[in-house]
Amino acid sequence: LQCGTVSVPLDYAHPHGEQIGLTVSRNKPTGKGKGKGQEQGKKQGKAAGKKAVARQGALVFNPGGPGASGMYFPMIGVMPEWKRIAAAYDLIGYAPRGVGRSAPLSCQDPKEFGKAPSSAPVHPDDAYKQERIARAKAYARGCADRNPGLRHYTSLNNARDLDVLRAALGEKKLTFLGASYGTYFGALYATLFPTHVRRMVFDSAVNPAPAQIWYRNNLDQSAAFERRWADFRTWVAKHDKTYHLGTTPEKVMENYEKVRAELGRKPAGGKVGQGQLHSAYLKAGYYDDYWPERAKALSAYLKGDPKPLIEQAAPEPRGAADDENGNAVYTAVECNDAPWPTDFATWDRDNTLLARLAPFETWDNAWMNLPCAYWPAPRQQPLDVRADGDELPPTLILAAERDAATPYEGARELHRRLSNSVLVTEREAGTHGIGGGPNECVNGYLEAYLLEGRLPVRRAACAPHPEPRPESGGRAVGRPRAL
C-alpha cells in the first residue's frame, strides 16, 4: 500500500491561490498481464475468463457520504469478489476535501457531538422542536466560525478535485466507481468532463434531479427507510423460533417499542438511550447482514441481558473525532450545494405529515439536516446532470430495488439523464451498495464492465441475494458487506 497527497485549489475561481492536500492511497495491480484494454471472457453478466487480465490503469473509488473516506479501498483487493479487478487495476482510494486529513472540517467539539445518551422522539412536541432549532443554529454558526473556507466544500468542487486526481495519477481518462453520494458527484463529473471518462460505475445512485438536491431527496429517503424497517421486522418475525420477538412484524414492533420506552427511562449501561438505539437499528436499513445481530440484541435485552445491545449501540469514544468530522463534511456539502427552506414552518409541515406514514427515520433525518435552514455560506444552484450524444462513453448503474438510503427512483432518474447508461437492478433487495457484495450476478456485470467494457443493451436484472440466516447462538452467519 502506497500513500501520498495531491494538491488541489481551495477555490477553483483562483486556481493558483490557496492549495489544500487530499490524502491518496494505492495498491498496484496484482496480476501479471501487460498493456491496457485486453478483451476477455465469454458471457455477459458472468465473471470474465480465468486468464490473467491486462493492466487497465487506475480505478478510483469514493464510498459516499458526503464525509466518508475511501482510503481503505486498496485493501479490498484481497477479498474474493475483488481479486480479478485488483489484478487489472491500481486500486485508488482517497479522502475528499474536508475528510480525515484532507483539509479537515470540524463544526463542534467531538465530545459534544457524540454526547450520550440522547432522546429521539418519533413525534416531537413544540418544546423539543425549539431545542433542536437552537442546536441547529449553533451548529451552523460553529461551522462558519471554525472553517474560513467553508463555502468551497461542495459537490462541484469534489468533481473538479476528481479530475485533478485523474491527471495526477497519469490517467488520460478516468475509471471511477462511486457508491451512494459518490454517484452524485460522479454524475457531475460526467456532465462537466464527459471526454475525460473511460468507465464509470454508479452504485446505489442518488437522484440527481436539481429539484431533489438535497431537501426533497432527504424526505424521500425517510419514506424509503420505513419500507426497509418493515423488511427487517418481517424477517425477524419469520425467525420467531430463534428470537422470540413475535410472529408478525407488528408484534416485533411492539417489542422494539418496549425496549425504546425502557431506554427512555433508564439508558442501558448509562450510554444507550433512544437516540443510540435508533442509530444502531438504522444500520439494519442499510445492510441486511446486520439483521441477525440486531435481532439477537433486542431479544437478549427483553430477557434481561443488555450487554449485546450496549456492545452494538453505545458510542465508541475513539471514533468521536471521525464521526464529528464526517458529519461536518456532510453538512457543509449538502448545505452549500443547493437552496434549502429557511422557514422552519416548511420543515415542520413536511416532516409532520411524513412522520404519520414513516415515523422511523423522519424526524431524526430532519434534525440532521436542519442546520441548512440557517446556513451562513452562499448556496449554489445544482448543476443539471445531463449526458446526451456520444461524448460520454457507456456507463454502468447498479441499484437494489428496495434500497432505503438512495431510493430506486434515483437510479432510474440517473439512467434517463445519462443516455449511454445501463441500469442493472437487484430485484426485491435493499442492501445499500451492491457492487462486490454477495450477489454473484451483480458482480458478474460489474466485472465484465470494468475488465472488458461489456454491458447489457439497456437494462438487466438479478435475482436478490439470499437473506441472512438467523443466529443460532454463536456469531451471526453473515455475508461480506458490499462497499
Side-chain angles (χ1 to χ4, degrees):
L1 182 69
Q2 299 172 309
C3 292
T5 59
V6 60
S7 294
V8 298
L10 176 65
D11 180 2
Y12 278 90
H14 302 283
H16 302 295
E18 182 180 350
Q19 304 290 300
I20 57 177
L22 311 184
T23 61
V24 184
S25 57
R26 173 172 66 184
N27 255 352
K28 296 270 183 88
T30 58
K32 297 179 180 179
K34 296 181 179 179
K36 289 189 178 184
Q38 183 176 326
E39 297 281 331
Q40 297 197 35
K42 298 291 184 182
K43 293 183 179 180
Q44 189 158 303
K46 301 291 184 182
K50 294 183 179 180
K51 296 179 182 178
V53 292
R55 182 181 182 275
Q56 306 216 18
L59 171 61
V60 181
F61 171 69
N62 178 272
S69 172
M71 288 291 287
Y72 66 88
F73 178 63
M75 296 185 289
I76 213 81
V78 300
M79 293 178 64
E81 295 85 357
W82 290 92
K83 281 189 175 180
R84 284 186 49 77
I85 293 171
Y89 284 95
D90 290 48
L91 299 185
I92 307 293
Y94 75 107
R97 60 172 60 202
V99 179
R101 290 180 289 168
S102 297
L105 295 183
S106 176
C107 296
Q108 188 180 20
D109 183 336
K111 291 179 181 178
E112 285 298 311
F113 176 77
K115 208 169 185 179
S118 61
S119 58
V122 174
H123 300 289
D125 59 21
D126 288 339
Y128 187 79
K129 290 174 184 177
Q130 291 304 313
E131 177 191 334
R132 294 307 300 244
I133 290 170
R135 286 168 59 178
K137 289 179 177 178
Y139 190 83
R141 285 195 303 271
C143 290
D145 293 345
R146 289 168 172 246
N147 307 287
L150 184 64
R151 66 190 182 93
H152 301 299
Y153 291 76
T154 66
S155 293
L156 281 172
N157 280 344
N158 282 336
R160 294 170 180 133
D161 291 346
L162 189 56
D163 201 52
V164 175
L165 177 57
R166 171 200 60 78
L169 291 167
E171 298 292 316
K172 291 182 179 180
K173 293 180 181 287
L174 175 71
T175 304
F176 177 71
L177 168 57
S180 192
Y181 165 72
T183 68
Y184 178 59
F185 78 82
L188 296 179
Y189 185 96
T191 303
L192 293 170
F193 308 107
T195 60
H196 294 191
V197 173
R198 177 179 176 265
R199 291 173 190 161
M200 295 195 92
V201 180
F202 305 93
D203 186 354
S204 304
V206 167
N207 190 326
Q212 291 288 125
I213 307 296
W214 284 101
Y215 182 72
R216 299 301 313 179
N217 267 340
N218 277 286
L219 291 172
D220 291 348
Q221 185 185 73
S222 295
F225 266 109
E226 195 68 28
R227 294 192 295 271
R228 197 61 182 150
W229 174 233
D231 290 347
F232 167 67
R233 291 184 286 115
T234 299
W235 179 87
V236 175
K238 189 188 302 184
H239 298 289
D240 181 60
K241 289 182 180 178
T242 301
Y243 301 113
H244 309 292
L245 291 169
T247 57
T248 65
E250 293 75 19
K251 184 62 180 176
V252 174
M253 187 65 181
E254 285 180 25
N255 279 311
Y256 177 82
E257 288 297 335
K258 283 181 186 177
V259 174
R260 193 172 174 278
E262 178 60 28
L263 293 175
R265 292 187 291 269
K266 183 182 178 183
K271 289 292 184 181
V272 178
Q274 293 178 344
Q276 290 65 47
L277 178 75
H278 176 266
S279 294
Y281 282 80
L282 183 65
K283 289 180 181 177
Y286 280 90
Y287 309 112
D288 57 20
D289 57 354
Y290 275 112
W291 290 3
E293 61 188 37
R294 293 295 188 264
K296 178 187 176 185
L298 209 62
S299 179
Y301 183 89
L302 288 168
K303 293 174 183 175
D305 178 12
K307 186 177 179 181
L309 184 62
I310 294 169
E311 289 175 348
Q312 294 176 37
E316 172 52 67
R318 291 175 296 181
D322 286 343
D323 291 345
E324 193 279 327
N325 169 242
N327 193 75
V329 178
Y330 169 90
T331 307
V333 171
E334 294 216 353
C335 296
N336 284 334
D337 270 0
W340 289 74
T342 56
D343 185 351
F344 181 72
T346 302
W347 296 69
D348 198 12
R349 178 199 66 208
D350 293 344
N351 287 280
T352 298
L353 289 172
L354 182 58
R356 293 174 185 170
L357 301 173
F360 177 67
E361 167 66 352
T362 294
W363 276 110
D364 266 33
N365 205 358
W367 303 136
M368 183 174 182
N369 293 292
L370 189 58
C372 294
Y374 312 107
W375 199 242
R379 321 298 182 92
Q380 296 179 155
Q381 290 295 328
L383 182 69
D384 190 19
V385 168
R386 297 280 176 187
D388 299 319
D390 297 326
E391 275 196 326
L392 181 70
T395 59
L396 173 64
I397 302 170
L398 305 176
E401 221 169 21
R402 296 183 69 79
D403 186 352
T406 51
Y408 184 65
E409 177 55 31
R412 296 176 63 186
E413 180 67 20
L414 182 61
H415 182 42
R416 286 190 287 265
R417 288 170 173 268
L418 303 183
S419 62
N420 285 339
S421 65
V422 170
L423 173 60
V424 173
T425 302
E426 186 180 17
R427 299 290 188 195
E428 301 173 17
T431 287
H432 181 58
I434 60 176
N439 193 310
E440 292 182 5
C441 171
V442 171
N443 293 343
Y445 284 112
L446 175 66
E447 199 171 276
Y449 176 63
L450 287 178
L451 295 182
E452 307 164 44
R454 288 191 295 111
L455 286 168
V457 175
R458 185 69 176 155
R459 293 190 181 188
C462 293
H465 65 273
E467 287 186 341
R469 297 196 295 273
E471 186 172 355
S472 58
R475 59 182 286 277
V477 181
R479 293 177 173 268
R481 188 168 304 138
L483 285 172

